[in-house]
Structures are given as structure tokens and as C-alpha cells.
Amino acid sequence: MEKIVINGANKLHGEVKISGAKNAAVAIIPAVVLSDGVCRIENIPNIMDVNLIAKILQEMGAKVQRPNKTTLEIDPRGIKNPVATYDLVRHMRASSYLLGALLGKFSRAEVALPGGCDFGVRPVDQHLKGFAVLGAKHIVEGGMIKVKADKLVGGHIYLDVVSVGATVNIMLAAVKAEGRTTIENAAKEPHIVDLANFLNSMGADVRGAGTDVIKVNGVKRLNSTTYSIIPDQIEAGTYMAAVASAGGNVLIQNVIPKHLESITAKLREMGVIIEEYDDSIRVIKDKRLKRCNVKTMPHPGFPTDMQPQIAAILTMADGTSIVNEAVWDNRFRYVEELRRMGAEISVDGKLAVIEGVEQLEGAPVKATDLRAGAAMIVAALGAKGTTQIEDIRHIERGYEDVVEKFRAIGADIRRVYSNDPAVQTA
Ligand code: EPZ
């Protein structure tokens, strides 16, 4: 079993380049199914979730090539059967996007119920409600969701909750439906806008992405395209949090500063200096962090996917902070792990109260999910002594070359096998 081992409290310096956005890539790759030609997608992050979804398409009959590390060329024309079995999709939440894409293409789809990060109930009722408005019926049978329509016809959908997944899935199903589909109370995340731009580059007519009303005018055909994915907002935010934890001065490159505003505002409130440039930001931390309160919200609020990382740095801030997780029911499982490092956190339902300590101390910890794992790295970089992080496969689902990138900015971090004597003695 592999672990990440970090000797903390080394200041970070230099430059780091952010990869393409995971949550855009895992929506855009299934969207290729809708095309009648070859799609070339650039700025693809080389991470497990993206490689998995590309492999699923390949096993369904698509031709997938990787002409270089950050580009995928996908020819979906070999996909004839709109069925994705449990064996193919079980590790990935975002495989549910195949439902919308296959439904949009074939007017029917069968996809095994999704897996992915476990932080509370992850319903798909809003996705199915959208499909129903478009004329598709669903049943759940043998662990598969099966959706089918005689013909997809546009309609008016008002989402009960702001859901990224439902917004994506309904856009995918609607793009070739007859007439206009209107999605109200739609999610506004940057990856929703990126998906809309990608679909439009294939010839779709999607308007309003980035606002809470999205209008999709159905088209008959989608064509080949070349498209470059936006940079990853959460990867960038994680490096920002890491500098806030360890201290130092780092230029974070290949970012869209606008996408980072809610994170930037919170870090500034904590006393971190952030300079914004066209496609990079500089993060400087030279004194102890101040406490602050954080509430997660759909975009443009503070992202839930940055909640564990910001909590990790608040454990070392001066004073008491309150973190309110307003998106997911159970996203505090990592707190137990931070406590091993000396953090003082109490959790009551969706609230965590954090009493800042001077500094955390290294300890053996686990990555309980993707962002929880990122939070362990962030905490360990600011902690005294050695931290060993187990279950790093969760981290590798979403962070490209995480060890190499941190090492390049001066972190004492390495990946080791657990039978490596260095780990046992560390
Ligand atoms: C996406 O998940 C992201 N995943 C998650 O990021 C992220 O945490 C989440 O959006 C919120 O920003 C991808 O983009 C692949 P939702 P998704 O549907 O689409 C409720 C990461 O770390 N809901 O926006 O599954 C739901 O229970 C991952 O990169 C319903 O009630 O999230 C939750 O409380 C983890 N009914 C809220 O909406 C539904 O039908 C938001 O969920 C759908 C959702």
C-alpha cells in the first residue's frame, strides 16, 4: 500500500502550474458521446477519475487516444449499445453523466448506480425529474438505472435544489431534444459554463450557463470539435491553502482568478496576501492566520470542495472559527484525522467549531475521501514533524502529480510503500 509522507513546517517557494479541471473533464468526456465526429479535448488532467471515465467510453466502443499527456482524442461513433455496467462505473460518481449523454444520443440508457466520494446521501431525484420532463421514464432494476423515451421533447424544469449533477445531466439529455428546454435554479459552477461552451463548440445551442436559468435549444446534430478545458478551481484553492498553512510565497499559474474569488476573499480575511494577475495568482503568508467563519454554498459561494482544506488551516489560526457545511450532510469525517494531529474541533451536525492551536503535530492519518485527503496534505505541510497519509488513492483521483508539484515548491514530501523502512521509522 502506498502512503504519502510529509515532514512539515517548511516554507513553500516558487511556482506551481494548475492542471485542467477534474469536474469539467468528467462532464465533458461523457458529452463526447453526443457527437457524430472526433473530439479533441486539451488541458485534460492526468488523474484517475478522468482516466476512468475515458476508459469507460473506450470499453463501450469509443476510440480513445492520448496524443500527449494533456490531450484526449475521442471518436464516439463505435458506441452502439447505451449500457454502462456496474463493473465499469462503480468507482465513479460522475459516471451518472453517462445517463444524460446516452439518453440524449440514443433516447435510452442503462447505467449502474454511481459510486464516488461518500459523504452522505447522494440522491439523483432531480436528474430523474429533469429526464421525466423531457419525456423519459425510469426504472431501477438490478442495481441499474434505466431511462427511456420514445422521443425527447424540451420542457420547463425548476430544480428543487441547486445541483451540479442534475444541471449537467439535463443539459446533456436536452441538447438534441426537440424544441427548447429551460432549467431554472440551475447550478452556476465554472464547470457548468465549461460544459456549455464545449457543447456549443460542437454545434449545440445552450444559453445562460453561469446564471440560474439555462436555455437549451435542441439541435439535430453535434459535430467534431477541439476544445481546451478550464483550469481546476479546487486544485488551485488547495495550493492556496497549502501556502497559508506552511507559509512562504508561491506563484500559482494557469488559473482563472475570477473562479477563485470566494477562496481569495476568505484567505485575505485570514491575513494571507494574494496578488491577482491575468492567469496566475501569488500567495504570500508570513504571519499567523486570523480566525474566520466559513459557510459553504453553491457557486459563487465558498465551495464545499474546499471546506476540508480551509478547516485544516483554521486549526492553526488565532481564535475560534465556525465552519458551516451547507451543501452535504456528512462532510466532516476528516475531523477525526485532524484531531490525531492535535486539532481542537467539535462537530455538531453541519457545524464544526474549531479552536485554533499554535501548530499541529505530525501523525499517521487517513485520506477518508478526495478533499479530506487534500486537507491532510495541507495540514501536514504546516505541522511540526512527520505525517503519514494512508489511502492516498482517494487523493490521486483528483490531483495530478500531487507529490511532484509540492516537492517542486519546496515541500518535504514523498510517496512510499508502507513496507518501506523509512515509513516504519518515521
Ligand atoms: C458535484 O457533485 C461535484 N462533483 C462535487 O465535487 C461537489 O461537492 C458538488 O457538485 C457540489 O459542488 C462533480 O462535479 C463530479 P450536487 P454532485 O448534485 O453533482 C443534493 C469533488 O470533491 N441533491 O450539486 O453530485 C445533494 O444531496 C466532488 O470534486 C439532491 O437532493 O453534487 C447535495 O446536498 C465531490 N438531489 C446537493 O444537492 C439530486 O438529485 C448538491 O449536490 C442531486 C443533488
Side-chain angles (χ1 to χ4, degrees), residues 22-23 26 93-94 97 117 119 121-127 161-166 189 191 304-305 327-328 331 370-371:
K22 169 180 90 83
N23 288 346
V26 297
R93 173 77 191 169
Y97 294 160
C117 282
F119 32 69
V121 180
R122 298 191 69 173
V124 289
D125 56 299
Q126 298 302 305
H127 307 225
V161 289
V162 180
S163 161
V164 170
E189 269 64 7
H191 34 287
T304 171
D305 295 343
V327 176
W328 294 111
R331 208 172 189 174
L370 167 61
R371 306 302 172 190

Side-chain angles (χ1 to χ4, degrees), residues 283-301:
V283 182
I284 303 166
K285 187 245 181 168
D286 55 7
K287 53 180 182 298
R288 187 164 180 208
L289 299 172
K290 291 183 267 189
R291 47 120 359 238
C292 75
N293 295 338
V294 179
K295 181 172 181 177
T296 65
M297 305 273 279
H299 191 80

Side-chain angles (χ1 to χ4, degrees), residues 353-367:
V353 178
I354 304 174
E355 304 284 351
V357 298
E358 195 70 40
Q359 195 170 24
L360 297 180
E361 288 195 17
V365 294
K366 261 197 247 138

Side-chain angles (χ1 to χ4, degrees), residues 231-249:
D232 197 303
Q233 173 202 24
I234 305 300
E235 189 195 14
T238 302
Y239 282 90
M240 293 165 78
V243 181
S245 176
N249 178 334

Side-chain angles (χ1 to χ4, degrees), residues 333-354:
R333 286 202 307 162
Y334 65 88
V335 160
E336 196 78 1
E337 305 302 312
L338 288 180
R339 283 196 192 119
R340 281 181 220 283
M341 301 177 73
E344 293 184 11
I345 311 179
S346 57
V347 175
D348 185 4
K350 291 185 155 203
L351 290 186
V353 178
I354 304 174

Side-chain angles (χ1 to χ4, degrees), residues 18-300:
I18 298 306
S19 301
K22 169 180 90 83
N23 288 346
V26 297
I28 285 172
I29 294 169
V32 169
V33 167
L34 292 155
S35 176
D36 291 322
V38 179
C39 296
R40 181 181 164 95
I41 311 166
E42 298 169 349
N43 203 29
I44 286 275
N46 188 11
I47 52 176
M48 216 192 290
D49 267 13
V50 164
N51 296 337
L52 262 175
I53 193 87
K55 187 160 166 252
I56 293 171
L57 289 195
Q58 193 169 24
E59 298 201 356
M60 291 177 72
K63 259 196 217 129
V64 179
Q65 285 179 319
R66 196 182 269 271
N68 60 55
K69 194 180 167 197
T70 58
T71 303
L72 278 180
E73 273 176 8
I74 307 176
D75 180 349
R77 286 170 292 189
I79 300 179
K80 304 287 184 213
N81 186 17
V83 178
T85 59
Y86 180 71
D87 274 352
L88 282 180
V89 308
R90 63 183 162 159
H91 297 299
M92 268 208 83
R93 173 77 191 169
S95 56
S96 64
Y97 294 160
L98 286 168
L99 265 183
L102 292 168
L103 180 64
K105 173 85 173 189
F106 297 98
S107 297
R108 77 178 181 92
E110 296 182 16
V111 177
L113 287 163
C117 282
D118 173 17
F119 32 69
V121 180
R122 298 191 69 173
V124 289
D125 56 299
Q126 298 302 305
H127 307 225
L128 297 174
K129 171 172 137 171
F131 296 157
V133 170
L134 300 176
K137 293 205 167 60
H138 83 272
I139 51 166
V140 177
E141 204 173 55
M144 307 281 282
I145 303 184
K146 303 182 178 180
V147 283
K148 193 168 187 252
D150 292 336
K151 179 177 167 193
L152 292 166
V153 181
H156 195 107
I157 298 143
Y158 201 111
L159 294 178
D160 300 337
V161 289
V162 180
S163 161
V164 170
T167 306
V168 166
N169 246 337
I170 297 167
M171 281 162 71
L172 294 174
V175 84
K176 293 179 75 185
E178 189 179 292
R180 171 180 283 191
T181 301
T182 305
I183 312 169
E184 298 219 45
N185 200 24
K188 296 180 283 213
E189 269 64 7
H191 34 287
I192 300 283
V193 179
D194 211 32
L195 172 65
N197 289 340
F198 171 73
L199 291 170
N200 288 343
S201 78
M202 294 197 291
D205 183 355
V206 180
R207 300 173 190 200
T211 75
D212 42 24
V213 184
I214 298 178
K215 295 194 166 109
V216 183
N217 296 310
V219 296
K220 289 233 155 21
R221 204 184 136 87
L222 296 176
N223 304 307
S224 305
T225 186
T226 295
Y227 189 81
S228 182
I229 286 185
I230 51 167
D232 197 303
Q233 173 202 24
I234 305 300
E235 189 195 14
T238 302
Y239 282 90
M240 293 165 78
V243 181
S245 176
N249 178 334
V250 174
L251 185 70
I252 303 179
Q253 292 176 312
N254 188 34
V255 299
I256 299 175
K258 177 96 191 132
H259 293 169
L260 302 172
E261 273 175 350
S262 60
I263 304 166
T264 299
K266 270 298 145 200
L267 291 178
R268 283 186 176 146
E269 211 177 309
M270 295 168 74
V272 178
I273 299 165
I274 297 173
E275 296 164 3
E276 295 177 357
Y277 305 102
D278 288 348
D279 59 0
S280 61
I281 55 166
R282 182 172 291 286
V283 182
I284 303 166
K285 187 245 181 168
D286 55 7
K287 53 180 182 298
R288 187 164 180 208
L289 299 172
K290 291 183 267 189
R291 47 120 359 238
C292 75
N293 295 338
V294 179
K295 181 172 181 177
T296 65
M297 305 273 279
H299 191 80

